[in-house]
Amino acid sequence: MDPFLRSVRDTFRRHGIDATLDPDGAAKEVRLLPTRPDDIADVGSLRIQDATGLFEILAEDFTGFGNGAILAMGAERRKVQHTRVPDPRRHKVLLDTVAA
């Protein structure tokens, strides 16, 4: 097995949070790494809070899913609005989510 993939999996196992992908269908248990909280932008004197939440997930856990997928973390439900794969080895997917 690729030692880098083994390290990435271990990071998710040790530091990830529990979540359920597609709780109303397949109900796949996954681990997520939150990457940063909601963002607040200043536009002149107006402050706008972006309710987005970014999470990393193992690419192998997200295979077959895409935009519109639902994540459940405890009582919180989030909808995937966009995905990116910034990992050059393609082991992780970055999920941009909003409250569902």
Side-chain angles (χ1 to χ4, degrees), residues 2-100:
D2 176 4
F4 184 76
L5 176 57
R6 187 172 45 244
S7 176
V8 170
R9 285 179 179 160
D10 190 49
T11 299
F12 275 87
R13 184 180 57 78
R14 290 176 185 245
H15 304 291
I17 59 173
D18 291 325
T20 305
L21 181 58
D22 190 19
D24 302 322
K28 183 176 185 177
E29 299 299 319
V30 296
R31 303 279 288 172
L32 302 173
L33 293 175
T35 61
R36 67 178 175 182
D38 296 344
D39 194 22
I40 297 177
D42 291 318
V43 181
S45 62
L46 180 65
R47 292 188 65 138
I48 300 172
Q49 181 172 1
D50 183 8
T52 190
L54 297 176
F55 301 90
E56 289 183 326
I57 187 171
L58 285 169
E60 61 197 31
D61 288 343
F62 199 65
T63 300
F65 295 94
N67 295 347
I70 301 293
L71 291 166
M73 296 162 282
E76 182 180 10
R77 291 172 63 96
R78 301 198 62 86
K79 180 179 173 182
V80 176
Q81 64 179 1
H82 180 69
T83 62
R84 292 187 298 257
V85 183
D87 174 19
R89 292 187 170 115
R90 308 189 77 72
H91 295 313
K92 301 181 293 182
V93 177
L94 182 64
L95 306 176
D96 185 352
T97 67
V98 293

